[in-house]
Amino acid sequence: MNILEAIDVTKSYGEGEASVSALCGISIRIDVGEFVSIMGPSGSGKSSLLTILGGVETPTSGQVLIEGTSLSNLSDDERTKLRRRRLG
């Protein structure tokens, strides 16, 4: 069973010529009981990915599911409750 899944997640900051792509089409599936490390050089998008996977930020595009529930379908309050109960 997938506990966490990200599908084609992108994240951009800024607008127009000042736009910076932090994530470009990231997909990951984590099953129950798996341990995962996210590694990369400074500025590679690790923190952006983790804040999106944790439901703190929303992706520019793509989808994140926690236990099959799409974070994009939840309100801010519902995402906060999900983080409290299911993430750590």
Side-chain angles (χ1 to χ4, degrees):
M1 177 178 134
N2 298 334
I3 192 134
L4 177 82
E5 186 172 10
I7 305 164
D8 202 27
V9 170
T10 67
K11 182 64 177 180
S12 298
Y13 297 99
E15 295 180 12
E17 289 184 30
S19 179
V20 175
S21 293
L23 302 172
C24 300
I26 301 295
S27 295
I28 186 171
R29 185 177 316 137
I30 301 171
D31 291 326
V32 172
E34 274 190 296
F35 288 88
V36 177
S37 296
I38 298 174
M39 299 171 32
S42 179
S44 64
K46 301 177 300 292
S47 295
S48 293
L49 178 60
L50 290 174
T51 58
I52 289 170
L53 293 179
V56 176
E57 282 192 54
T58 57
T60 303
S61 66
Q63 188 174 12
V64 175
L65 299 108
I66 296 179
E67 297 178 330
T69 300
S70 176
L71 296 184
S72 62
N73 295 336
L74 302 177
S75 68
D76 286 340
D77 286 341
E78 291 170 322
R79 282 197 317 271
T80 298
K81 288 176 186 174
L82 181 77
R83 276 193 307 275
R84 279 190 213 140
R85 293 183 181 135
R86 304 303 304 156
L87 301 174

